[in-house]
Amino acid sequence: MSPATAAADEAGVSVAVADELTIRTATEQKAGLLAALDSTTRLRLDLSGVAELDTAGLQVLLALVAEARSSGKAVELADPTPAVTEVIALAQLGEILAIRACDAEAVTDPTGKEGPG
Amino acid sequence: VTYEEDMAAALSGFVVEARELLQEMETSLLQMECDDDPELVAALFRAAHTIKGSSGLFGLDHVVQFTHTVESALEQLRSGSIAVTPELVGALLPCRDHIAAMVDAVADGVVTATDATVATGGKLLERLAPLLAGAEPTCPDPAAGPAQTRSEELDADGGTRPLHLSVRFGPDCLRSGMDPLAFIRYLSTLGTIPALLTLDGALPEATQLDPEICYLGFQLVLITASPMDSVVGVFDFVREESDIRVLEAPDVAGFAELVRSYETDSGRVASFLIEHGAIDASTLAAALTDGGAVGEASPAGDPEHGPGAAVEHAPEPEAGSSATGPPSPQPALAAVPAQPRRPPSVQADGRAAEVHARESSESRSIRVEAPRLDRLIDVVGELVIAGAAVGLRANQAGNDALLEAISDVMRLVEEVRDSALQLRMVPIGTTFSRFQRVVRDVSAELGKDISLSVTGGETEVDKALVERIGDPLMHLVRNSMDHGIESAEVRLERGKPARGSLRLNAFHDSGSIVIEVQDDGGGISRDRVLAKAIERGLVDPGASLTDGEIYNLIFEPGFSTAETVSNLSGRGVGMDVVKRNVTTLRGTIDVESRPGLGSTVRIRLPLTLAIIDGFLVGVGGSAFVIPLDRVVECVALPQLSHARDCMDLRGEVLPFLRLRSVFSIPGDRPRRENVVVVDYAGVKTGLVVDTLMGEFQTVIKPLGQLFEHVQGIGGATILGDGEVALIIDVPVLVRHHADRQAGHDGSAGFAPGFPAAAMARVASAPGAELVAADPE
């Protein structure tokens, strides 16, 4: 069972993260997401299938975003479930893990991945 | 194992733990009244606190909320702002009961508050509130916001104030199922978290990242009314591996140490602290460059210091990282004071050490499900039987080497058996301690002043027995308080102290455990008991009974309950039920009384229900086991005694029973017969048997339902050769024989006996034909 399904489009790669992002799946998810990031310069994560997010999953997201930033790529988070928004709010990581409010279309504005510094 | 099963298991663990803690709370509360040991209050606080903490982990918000308020009250008690008074204890006990009720509900699957629990809880807290000092912080003030973060605005009466938490979990915490986010989520129930900084400085590059290792740390501000301890206590479960610091301004040294302890994030932490009013930039900078010389902490907070203004003062990551000053003065409440820099895994403050000590004492005991233990005992029992079978074969084969080997094996088997039985032994003190509460409540109910003293609580007894002796004891205790101990006026009149005293005592006595319930009340009125017994037709008016026999009449069925003389608590359950319960446990009960001075009820129980050491005897083709602890000696039956029912034992008259007649065993008497002298209730009786076959350890197999009313047989066992042997219940056998005797000659028998009416009951009991064979 693949935790993430990727779909390429003209604006980059869109990956739907299926399943939870937790300690149980994090290692697998990390591999999948890194591979997806490798294949594109603009990775869009569809989080609508993430029913649960814990610290392990959060670390994967942070590492992915950091990796993207260091290699000049972009990661975009979209369609979060309430579980995801709750964790991001709790950890006050809204700036680093910015969620794109509007959906789908590729956007050029990179603020979504820029941390405060 | 599914997630749900996991949760169910964890939840049942919670219930077990919570119940233990609640028991602890009760004990502490009761002891507190007469003992001002601060450790009691501390234990109480810890118990409440742990219950709150684990309820929080399971999302049992109603339990958290209620317990939180109780805990705040306990905190006041602990800090000395209020004193222990009977009213306070009286208000706290029902609160404890309420928590217990909620926990019970959780055990039954009710994990949210019902209207009833909310209402009860509210009432209890209303009752508690006036007893507390000042404004009681019943819940975190939701209005508290970031604006209040400066320590100057701290409400000294225990209102909300900002705490600064540094939360760094051990690398393995995720693997062990601890999610830091869950803890932060829980913290937010204690107050508000206006600011939080997720520290990802330790997070490695994505390719190096092992998502199962925890790299993240959190620095946060928690505005709460909760005492420092309860905040620290949230992390009790993870303290060992983690570096958790809870600091409160103006703990300059603590904040400096905190900043210093970061490898990669110290700059961010420092600016965060400054920004949120924990410390001002120049003080921090001074503290950091100064190392240990920050003892004279200036009150934190130049209030004018603008947030962010001092970011440039933030130290470099390396700043002071090698500094190890002497331990700095800490505010009394800082339960996790900063230490000289050390790895996160080491937390060496007093509380942590104490927690550690507690944990290690816990790890010395293992919780095992009772059925598993029962299974072990069962198998060991079978092993004993099988061992006996092998021994028998070896004996028949006459193989000496084999016999020797077997005797080694049997010795080990016995050891295994003893250790296995030992596993089931628990001190009876835990049962006794329940009675502190009972005595307290019942004395209040009765308007009497009664103290309970417990001795011999360390006496160990089979767990199954402990569980089943609780009810009979409860009845005896209530009874003594209700009818035994007089009212204060009467007591003073009689020259006794106004405060009645009740004593529970336990001790081991030759293979039995003896439990005593003793009161210093008026004692049992011999004449009134006798009159009542005659009125109820329990004794013939002309019968001559000893005092002991008369007192023991109160255990007879039909001796009534309410409004009797004596000692019956009038709750619709008579002493006969107590006696029946005790007898079911193969125990005996008797009462001793001194008029005007009080009475003692003595329960004698076997140590364990599973295995006994027996003495094997043969009658005709049948084998019987007599419990060895009843056997005094064995003698040959003098030839002259054949026609009589008593013999001369070194100048004493020894009455005896012929098992052959008692159990209607066919066949003729052999030429030589033996007498096994047994002792019951201090009276010796002989049991006449054909052959003596020696000691025999035996596993008691309960008799089937069909035989459960048979008197005089306590169970059965299987011999090495596969034959069944019946285990003789000496007390019952002797007593019933005595009853019969009494019925014959109209006088009391040689053992405490209850004539006519009692005998009629025996004769009408199902299965009585087994013992009804005429011994004459």
Side-chain angles (χ1 to χ4, degrees), chain A residues 23-24 26-27 30 34 54-56 58-60 62-63 67 86-87 90-93 96, chain B residues 3 174 179-181 184-185 193-196 198 203 206-207 209 211-216:
Chain A
I23 179 90
R24 281 177 285 245
T27 306
K30 186 195 96 167
L34 278 182
D54 69 0
T55 304
L58 185 64
Q59 291 187 147
V60 170
L62 285 172
E67 174 76 17
E86 189 261 351
V87 167
L90 186 69
Q92 306 200 359
L93 287 169
I96 301 176
Chain B
Y3 180 64
L174 300 178
D179 187 351
L181 287 170
I184 290 173
R185 218 170 269 138
I193 302 181
L196 180 145
T198 299
L203 200 68
T207 46
L209 174 89
E212 295 187 2
I213 289 179
C214 179
Y215 303 97
L216 298 182

mmCIF file of all heavy atoms in Angstrom, chain A residues 23-24 26-27 30 34 54-56 58-60 62-63 67 86-87 90-93 96, chain B residues 3 174 179-181 184-185 193-196 198 203 206-207 209 211-216:
data_model
loop_
_atom_site.group_PDB
_atom_site.id
_atom_site.type_symbol
_atom_site.label_atom_id
_atom_site.label_comp_id
_atom_site.label_asym_id
_atom_site.label_seq_id
_atom_site.Cartn_x
_atom_site.Cartn_y
_atom_site.Cartn_z
ATOM 1 N N ILE A 23 3.744 8.188 13.839
ATOM 2 C CA ILE A 23 4.876 7.317 14.101
ATOM 3 C C ILE A 23 4.746 5.993 13.357
ATOM 4 O O ILE A 23 5.727 5.380 12.972
ATOM 5 C CB ILE A 23 5.007 7.094 15.627
ATOM 6 C CG1 ILE A 23 6.158 6.162 16.018
ATOM 7 C CG2 ILE A 23 3.712 6.511 16.219
ATOM 8 C CD1 ILE A 23 7.433 6.863 16.261
ATOM 9 N N ARG A 24 3.501 5.574 13.122
ATOM 10 C CA ARG A 24 3.304 4.279 12.492
ATOM 11 C C ARG A 24 3.656 4.306 11.010
ATOM 12 O O ARG A 24 4.006 3.297 10.419
ATOM 13 C CB ARG A 24 1.844 3.835 12.652
ATOM 14 C CG ARG A 24 1.555 3.276 14.023
ATOM 15 C CD ARG A 24 0.081 2.922 14.135
ATOM 16 N NE ARG A 24 -0.712 4.140 14.288
ATOM 17 C CZ ARG A 24 -1.407 4.445 15.375
ATOM 18 N NH1 ARG A 24 -1.449 3.611 16.369
ATOM 19 N NH2 ARG A 24 -2.080 5.564 15.463
ATOM 20 N N ALA A 26 5.408 7.164 9.547
ATOM 21 C CA ALA A 26 6.288 8.279 9.209
ATOM 22 C C ALA A 26 7.478 7.859 8.350
ATOM 23 O O ALA A 26 7.828 8.546 7.391
ATOM 24 C CB ALA A 26 6.759 8.967 10.483
ATOM 25 N N THR A 27 8.090 6.733 8.670
ATOM 26 C CA THR A 27 9.281 6.324 7.927
ATOM 27 C C THR A 27 8.942 6.086 6.459
ATOM 28 O O THR A 27 9.613 6.578 5.552
ATOM 29 C CB THR A 27 9.859 5.043 8.548
ATOM 30 O OG1 THR A 27 10.073 5.291 9.930
ATOM 31 C CG2 THR A 27 11.167 4.672 7.903
ATOM 32 N N LYS A 30 7.994 9.376 4.800
ATOM 33 C CA LYS A 30 9.153 10.217 4.532
ATOM 34 C C LYS A 30 9.806 9.799 3.231
ATOM 35 O O LYS A 30 10.102 10.633 2.370
ATOM 36 C CB LYS A 30 10.164 10.108 5.682
ATOM 37 C CG LYS A 30 11.334 11.071 5.530
ATOM 38 C CD LYS A 30 12.505 10.744 6.434
ATOM 39 C CE LYS A 30 13.532 9.931 5.671
ATOM 40 N NZ LYS A 30 14.825 9.818 6.369
ATOM 41 N N LEU A 34 10.039 12.291 0.083
ATOM 42 C CA LEU A 34 11.342 12.737 -0.408
ATOM 43 C C LEU A 34 11.520 12.366 -1.870
ATOM 44 O O LEU A 34 12.043 13.157 -2.667
ATOM 45 C CB LEU A 34 12.470 12.129 0.434
ATOM 46 C CG LEU A 34 12.787 12.846 1.756
ATOM 47 C CD1 LEU A 34 13.942 12.168 2.445
ATOM 48 C CD2 LEU A 34 13.086 14.326 1.520
ATOM 49 N N ASP A 54 0.973 13.406 14.134
ATOM 50 C CA ASP A 54 1.603 13.500 15.448
ATOM 51 C C ASP A 54 2.999 14.093 15.295
ATOM 52 O O ASP A 54 3.372 14.586 14.228
ATOM 53 C CB ASP A 54 1.627 12.136 16.146
ATOM 54 C CG ASP A 54 2.574 11.163 15.478
ATOM 55 O OD1 ASP A 54 3.206 11.543 14.472
ATOM 56 O OD2 ASP A 54 2.684 10.022 15.963
ATOM 57 N N THR A 55 3.774 14.039 16.358
ATOM 58 C CA THR A 55 5.083 14.675 16.328
ATOM 59 C C THR A 55 5.968 14.056 15.243
ATOM 60 O O THR A 55 6.688 14.767 14.542
ATOM 61 C CB THR A 55 5.755 14.539 17.699
ATOM 62 O OG1 THR A 55 4.887 15.102 18.674
ATOM 63 C CG2 THR A 55 7.072 15.284 17.720
ATOM 64 N N ALA A 56 5.893 12.759 15.095
ATOM 65 C CA ALA A 56 6.716 12.096 14.082
ATOM 66 C C ALA A 56 6.354 12.612 12.699
ATOM 67 O O ALA A 56 7.228 12.943 11.887
ATOM 68 C CB ALA A 56 6.514 10.588 14.162
ATOM 69 N N LEU A 58 4.862 15.410 12.028
ATOM 70 C CA LEU A 58 5.199 16.824 11.967
ATOM 71 C C LEU A 58 6.672 16.990 11.599
ATOM 72 O O LEU A 58 7.038 17.859 10.805
ATOM 73 C CB LEU A 58 4.897 17.460 13.329
ATOM 74 C CG LEU A 58 5.082 18.969 13.433
ATOM 75 C CD1 LEU A 58 4.098 19.686 12.525
ATOM 76 C CD2 LEU A 58 4.888 19.420 14.877
ATOM 77 N N GLN A 59 7.505 16.132 12.171
ATOM 78 C CA GLN A 59 8.929 16.202 11.876
ATOM 79 C C GLN A 59 9.192 15.932 10.400
ATOM 80 O O GLN A 59 10.052 16.565 9.790
ATOM 81 C CB GLN A 59 9.695 15.188 12.734
ATOM 82 C CG GLN A 59 9.698 15.554 14.195
ATOM 83 C CD GLN A 59 10.585 14.655 15.046
ATOM 84 O OE1 GLN A 59 11.156 15.103 16.000
ATOM 85 N NE2 GLN A 59 10.701 13.382 14.684
ATOM 86 N N VAL A 60 8.436 15.006 9.856
ATOM 87 C CA VAL A 60 8.612 14.697 8.433
ATOM 88 C C VAL A 60 8.262 15.920 7.599
ATOM 89 O O VAL A 60 8.997 16.309 6.685
ATOM 90 C CB VAL A 60 7.755 13.485 8.031
ATOM 91 C CG1 VAL A 60 7.746 13.317 6.521
ATOM 92 C CG2 VAL A 60 8.270 12.229 8.712
ATOM 93 N N LEU A 62 8.292 19.048 8.537
ATOM 94 C CA LEU A 62 9.291 20.104 8.743
ATOM 95 C C LEU A 62 10.564 19.797 7.969
ATOM 96 O O LEU A 62 11.156 20.677 7.334
ATOM 97 C CB LEU A 62 9.612 20.229 10.246
ATOM 98 C CG LEU A 62 8.551 20.924 11.104
ATOM 99 C CD1 LEU A 62 8.904 20.796 12.584
ATOM 100 C CD2 LEU A 62 8.420 22.391 10.712
ATOM 101 N N ALA A 63 10.990 18.541 8.023
ATOM 102 C CA ALA A 63 12.222 18.159 7.332
ATOM 103 C C ALA A 63 12.052 18.313 5.825
ATOM 104 O O ALA A 63 12.952 18.775 5.132
ATOM 105 C CB ALA A 63 12.589 16.717 7.684
ATOM 106 N N GLU A 67 14.201 20.717 3.598
ATOM 107 C CA GLU A 67 14.927 20.152 2.464
ATOM 108 C C GLU A 67 14.623 20.944 1.188
ATOM 109 O O GLU A 67 15.516 21.314 0.431
ATOM 110 C CB GLU A 67 14.503 18.684 2.297
ATOM 111 C CG GLU A 67 15.061 17.977 1.087
ATOM 112 C CD GLU A 67 16.518 17.595 1.271
ATOM 113 O OE1 GLU A 67 16.984 17.587 2.431
ATOM 114 O OE2 GLU A 67 17.194 17.331 0.254
ATOM 115 N N GLU A 86 -5.066 21.569 13.417
ATOM 116 C CA GLU A 86 -4.985 21.660 14.880
ATOM 117 C C GLU A 86 -3.534 21.556 15.324
ATOM 118 O O GLU A 86 -3.071 22.321 16.167
ATOM 119 C CB GLU A 86 -5.829 20.548 15.519
ATOM 120 C CG GLU A 86 -5.996 20.685 17.020
ATOM 121 C CD GLU A 86 -5.049 19.802 17.828
ATOM 122 O OE1 GLU A 86 -4.355 18.943 17.252
ATOM 123 O OE2 GLU A 86 -4.983 20.003 19.048
ATOM 124 N N VAL A 87 -2.798 20.598 14.770
ATOM 125 C CA VAL A 87 -1.411 20.392 15.186
ATOM 126 C C VAL A 87 -0.549 21.597 14.798
ATOM 127 O O VAL A 87 0.249 22.087 15.582
ATOM 128 C CB VAL A 87 -0.845 19.097 14.577
ATOM 129 C CG1 VAL A 87 0.674 19.052 14.732
ATOM 130 C CG2 VAL A 87 -1.482 17.889 15.229
ATOM 131 N N LEU A 90 -1.309 24.296 17.133
ATOM 132 C CA LEU A 90 -0.802 23.989 18.468
ATOM 133 C C LEU A 90 0.698 24.250 18.538
ATOM 134 O O LEU A 90 1.200 24.824 19.494
ATOM 135 C CB LEU A 90 -1.097 22.519 18.783
ATOM 136 C CG LEU A 90 -0.771 22.028 20.188
ATOM 137 C CD1 LEU A 90 -1.722 22.658 21.183
ATOM 138 C CD2 LEU A 90 -0.891 20.508 20.252
ATOM 139 N N ALA A 91 1.413 23.815 17.533
ATOM 140 C CA ALA A 91 2.857 23.972 17.530
ATOM 141 C C ALA A 91 3.245 25.372 17.048
ATOM 142 O O ALA A 91 4.425 25.690 16.976
ATOM 143 C CB ALA A 91 3.492 22.913 16.640
ATOM 144 N N GLN A 92 2.257 26.172 16.732
ATOM 145 C CA GLN A 92 2.457 27.539 16.237
ATOM 146 C C GLN A 92 3.476 27.547 15.101
ATOM 147 O O GLN A 92 4.444 28.297 15.103
ATOM 148 C CB GLN A 92 2.832 28.472 17.392
ATOM 149 C CG GLN A 92 1.781 28.376 18.504
ATOM 150 C CD GLN A 92 1.763 29.567 19.450
ATOM 151 O OE1 GLN A 92 2.541 30.490 19.316
ATOM 152 N NE2 GLN A 92 0.830 29.562 20.395
ATOM 153 N N LEU A 93 3.234 26.666 14.158
ATOM 154 C CA LEU A 93 4.129 26.547 13.015
ATOM 155 C C LEU A 93 3.471 27.058 11.740
ATOM 156 O O LEU A 93 3.858 26.715 10.639
ATOM 157 C CB LEU A 93 4.539 25.079 12.824
ATOM 158 C CG LEU A 93 5.520 24.558 13.859
ATOM 159 C CD1 LEU A 93 5.650 23.057 13.747
ATOM 160 C CD2 LEU A 93 6.874 25.227 13.711
ATOM 161 N N ILE A 96 5.882 28.418 9.058
ATOM 162 C CA ILE A 96 6.719 27.473 8.329
ATOM 163 C C ILE A 96 5.884 26.522 7.500
ATOM 164 O O ILE A 96 6.184 26.247 6.344
ATOM 165 C CB ILE A 96 7.604 26.667 9.316
ATOM 166 C CG1 ILE A 96 8.478 27.642 10.107
ATOM 167 C CG2 ILE A 96 8.457 25.666 8.569
ATOM 168 C CD1 ILE A 96 9.309 26.983 11.175
ATOM 169 N N TYR B 3 -6.107 -0.879 17.562
ATOM 170 C CA TYR B 3 -5.964 0.343 18.332
ATOM 171 C C TYR B 3 -6.989 0.378 19.468
ATOM 172 O O TYR B 3 -6.694 0.728 20.603
ATOM 173 C CB TYR B 3 -6.168 1.509 17.376
ATOM 174 C CG TYR B 3 -6.045 2.849 18.012
ATOM 175 C CD1 TYR B 3 -4.826 3.258 18.549
ATOM 176 C CD2 TYR B 3 -7.143 3.703 18.078
ATOM 177 C CE1 TYR B 3 -4.715 4.493 19.137
ATOM 178 C CE2 TYR B 3 -7.025 4.941 18.660
ATOM 179 C CZ TYR B 3 -5.814 5.339 19.190
ATOM 180 O OH TYR B 3 -5.708 6.552 19.784
ATOM 181 N N LEU B 174 8.840 8.929 21.124
ATOM 182 C CA LEU B 174 7.809 8.595 20.144
ATOM 183 C C LEU B 174 7.620 7.100 20.062
ATOM 184 O O LEU B 174 6.510 6.591 20.013
ATOM 185 C CB LEU B 174 8.197 9.137 18.762
ATOM 186 C CG LEU B 174 8.376 10.656 18.677
ATOM 187 C CD1 LEU B 174 8.807 11.054 17.281
ATOM 188 C CD2 LEU B 174 7.088 11.366 19.042
ATOM 189 N N ASP B 179 3.622 11.196 22.764
ATOM 190 C CA ASP B 179 3.660 12.235 21.755
ATOM 191 C C ASP B 179 3.738 13.589 22.445
ATOM 192 O O ASP B 179 2.806 13.977 23.140
ATOM 193 C CB ASP B 179 2.404 12.144 20.880
ATOM 194 C CG ASP B 179 2.486 13.101 19.706
ATOM 195 O OD1 ASP B 179 3.415 13.919 19.678
ATOM 196 O OD2 ASP B 179 1.613 13.023 18.819
ATOM 197 N N PRO B 180 4.837 14.307 22.249
ATOM 198 C CA PRO B 180 4.963 15.613 22.909
ATOM 199 C C PRO B 180 3.766 16.511 22.641
ATOM 200 O O PRO B 180 3.321 17.242 23.517
ATOM 201 C CB PRO B 180 6.229 16.201 22.291
ATOM 202 C CG PRO B 180 7.021 15.029 21.846
ATOM 203 C CD PRO B 180 6.040 13.962 21.484
ATOM 204 N N LEU B 181 3.224 16.417 21.440
ATOM 205 C CA LEU B 181 2.093 17.278 21.122
ATOM 206 C C LEU B 181 0.909 16.998 22.039
ATOM 207 O O LEU B 181 0.183 17.904 22.422
ATOM 208 C CB LEU B 181 1.682 17.070 19.663
ATOM 209 C CG LEU B 181 2.640 17.658 18.631
ATOM 210 C CD1 LEU B 181 2.270 17.182 17.246
ATOM 211 C CD2 LEU B 181 2.619 19.174 18.697
ATOM 212 N N ILE B 184 1.380 18.854 25.144
ATOM 213 C CA ILE B 184 1.127 20.288 25.020
ATOM 214 C C ILE B 184 -0.372 20.551 24.941
ATOM 215 O O ILE B 184 -0.898 21.470 25.545
ATOM 216 C CB ILE B 184 1.878 20.825 23.793
ATOM 217 C CG1 ILE B 184 3.361 20.772 24.149
ATOM 218 C CG2 ILE B 184 1.429 22.223 23.433
ATOM 219 C CD1 ILE B 184 4.288 21.084 23.071
ATOM 220 N N ARG B 185 -1.036 19.668 24.215
ATOM 221 C CA ARG B 185 -2.489 19.756 24.152
ATOM 222 C C ARG B 185 -3.064 19.699 25.568
ATOM 223 O O ARG B 185 -3.955 20.434 25.932
ATOM 224 C CB ARG B 185 -3.009 18.576 23.344
ATOM 225 C CG ARG B 185 -4.170 18.887 22.454
ATOM 226 C CD ARG B 185 -4.441 17.716 21.539
ATOM 227 N NE ARG B 185 -3.732 17.807 20.273
ATOM 228 C CZ ARG B 185 -3.121 16.782 19.676
ATOM 229 N NH1 ARG B 185 -3.092 15.607 20.247
ATOM 230 N NH2 ARG B 185 -2.520 16.946 18.517
ATOM 231 N N ILE B 193 -2.095 28.974 26.466
ATOM 232 C CA ILE B 193 -0.732 29.023 25.944
ATOM 233 C C ILE B 193 -0.685 30.144 24.912
ATOM 234 O O ILE B 193 -0.984 29.932 23.741
ATOM 235 C CB ILE B 193 -0.346 27.671 25.311
ATOM 236 C CG1 ILE B 193 -0.489 26.572 26.344
ATOM 237 C CG2 ILE B 193 1.072 27.728 24.751
ATOM 238 C CD1 ILE B 193 -0.108 25.195 25.848
ATOM 239 N N PRO B 194 -0.342 31.335 25.363
ATOM 240 C CA PRO B 194 -0.361 32.451 24.421
ATOM 241 C C PRO B 194 0.794 32.382 23.416
ATOM 242 O O PRO B 194 0.693 32.935 22.328
ATOM 243 C CB PRO B 194 -0.228 33.682 25.313
ATOM 244 C CG PRO B 194 0.417 33.181 26.557
ATOM 245 C CD PRO B 194 -0.009 31.761 26.721
ATOM 246 N N ALA B 195 1.875 31.731 23.813
ATOM 247 C CA ALA B 195 3.011 31.709 22.907
ATOM 248 C C ALA B 195 3.711 30.380 23.003
ATOM 249 O O ALA B 195 3.866 29.828 24.093
ATOM 250 C CB ALA B 195 3.988 32.832 23.258
ATOM 251 N N LEU B 196 4.110 29.888 21.857
ATOM 252 C CA LEU B 196 4.809 28.619 21.846
ATOM 253 C C LEU B 196 5.812 28.637 20.709
ATOM 254 O O LEU B 196 5.543 29.156 19.631
ATOM 255 C CB LEU B 196 3.800 27.489 21.647
ATOM 256 C CG LEU B 196 4.369 26.064 21.616
ATOM 257 C CD1 LEU B 196 3.391 25.115 22.259
ATOM 258 C CD2 LEU B 196 4.678 25.598 20.210
ATOM 259 N N THR B 198 8.211 26.175 18.540
ATOM 260 C CA THR B 198 8.641 24.810 18.235
ATOM 261 C C THR B 198 10.104 24.864 17.814
ATOM 262 O O THR B 198 10.464 25.586 16.883
ATOM 263 C CB THR B 198 7.790 24.206 17.111
ATOM 264 O OG1 THR B 198 6.436 24.168 17.562
ATOM 265 C CG2 THR B 198 8.249 22.797 16.789
ATOM 266 N N LEU B 203 16.659 19.150 14.328
ATOM 267 C CA LEU B 203 16.126 18.309 13.257
ATOM 268 C C LEU B 203 17.196 18.135 12.174
ATOM 269 O O LEU B 203 17.672 19.107 11.609
ATOM 270 C CB LEU B 203 14.898 19.009 12.658
ATOM 271 C CG LEU B 203 13.895 18.176 11.876
ATOM 272 C CD1 LEU B 203 13.160 17.219 12.794
ATOM 273 C CD2 LEU B 203 12.893 19.081 11.178
ATOM 274 N N ALA B 206 16.688 16.047 5.842
ATOM 275 C CA ALA B 206 15.603 15.095 5.587
ATOM 276 C C ALA B 206 16.123 13.671 5.357
ATOM 277 O O ALA B 206 15.534 12.701 5.848
ATOM 278 C CB ALA B 206 14.787 15.549 4.389
ATOM 279 N N THR B 207 17.215 13.554 4.640
ATOM 280 C CA THR B 207 17.690 12.200 4.338
ATOM 281 C C THR B 207 18.207 11.506 5.598
ATOM 282 O O THR B 207 18.154 10.288 5.700
ATOM 283 C CB THR B 207 18.815 12.239 3.293
ATOM 284 O OG1 THR B 207 19.725 13.259 3.681
ATOM 285 C CG2 THR B 207 18.266 12.529 1.919
ATOM 286 N N LEU B 209 17.018 12.044 8.549
ATOM 287 C CA LEU B 209 15.968 12.059 9.574
ATOM 288 C C LEU B 209 15.395 10.666 9.818
ATOM 289 O O LEU B 209 14.998 9.977 8.890
ATOM 290 C CB LEU B 209 14.845 13.000 9.109
ATOM 291 C CG LEU B 209 13.598 13.042 9.989
ATOM 292 C CD1 LEU B 209 13.748 14.097 11.067
ATOM 293 C CD2 LEU B 209 12.364 13.326 9.150
ATOM 294 N N PRO B 211 12.275 9.442 11.399
ATOM 295 C CA PRO B 211 11.042 10.054 11.937
ATOM 296 C C PRO B 211 10.595 9.451 13.260
ATOM 297 O O PRO B 211 9.744 10.026 13.922
ATOM 298 C CB PRO B 211 10.000 9.769 10.846
ATOM 299 C CG PRO B 211 10.758 9.312 9.667
ATOM 300 C CD PRO B 211 12.051 8.756 10.138
ATOM 301 N N GLU B 212 11.167 8.340 13.602
ATOM 302 C CA GLU B 212 10.730 7.739 14.873
ATOM 303 C C GLU B 212 11.516 8.276 16.057
ATOM 304 O O GLU B 212 11.267 7.900 17.199
ATOM 305 C CB GLU B 212 10.850 6.215 14.795
ATOM 306 C CG GLU B 212 9.900 5.660 13.751
ATOM 307 C CD GLU B 212 9.841 4.155 13.746
ATOM 308 O OE1 GLU B 212 10.514 3.526 14.581
ATOM 309 O OE2 GLU B 212 9.107 3.614 12.896
ATOM 310 N N ILE B 213 12.489 9.109 15.771
ATOM 311 C CA ILE B 213 13.226 9.742 16.869
ATOM 312 C C ILE B 213 12.667 11.146 17.057
ATOM 313 O O ILE B 213 12.371 11.835 16.084
ATOM 314 C CB ILE B 213 14.736 9.786 16.542
ATOM 315 C CG1 ILE B 213 15.298 8.374 16.608
ATOM 316 C CG2 ILE B 213 15.480 10.712 17.496
ATOM 317 C CD1 ILE B 213 16.757 8.285 16.279
ATOM 318 N N CYS B 214 12.554 11.542 18.271
ATOM 319 C CA CYS B 214 12.005 12.857 18.518
ATOM 320 C C CYS B 214 13.129 13.890 18.529
ATOM 321 O O CYS B 214 14.063 13.789 19.317
ATOM 322 C CB CYS B 214 11.267 12.867 19.856
ATOM 323 S SG CYS B 214 10.573 14.459 20.252
ATOM 324 N N TYR B 215 13.029 14.859 17.639
ATOM 325 C CA TYR B 215 14.054 15.899 17.594
ATOM 326 C C TYR B 215 13.520 17.230 18.107
ATOM 327 O O TYR B 215 14.279 18.128 18.420
ATOM 328 C CB TYR B 215 14.525 16.121 16.150
ATOM 329 C CG TYR B 215 15.051 14.889 15.455
ATOM 330 C CD1 TYR B 215 14.245 14.137 14.622
ATOM 331 C CD2 TYR B 215 16.385 14.502 15.635
ATOM 332 C CE1 TYR B 215 14.734 13.014 13.983
ATOM 333 C CE2 TYR B 215 16.871 13.383 14.984
ATOM 334 C CZ TYR B 215 16.050 12.638 14.162
ATOM 335 O OH TYR B 215 16.537 11.536 13.532
ATOM 336 N N LEU B 216 12.206 17.348 18.103
ATOM 337 C CA LEU B 216 11.627 18.661 18.369
ATOM 338 C C LEU B 216 11.611 18.984 19.857
ATOM 339 O O LEU B 216 11.458 18.108 20.699
ATOM 340 C CB LEU B 216 10.194 18.708 17.835
ATOM 341 C CG LEU B 216 10.020 18.527 16.328
ATOM 342 C CD1 LEU B 216 8.554 18.643 15.958
ATOM 343 C CD2 LEU B 216 10.847 19.555 15.576
#
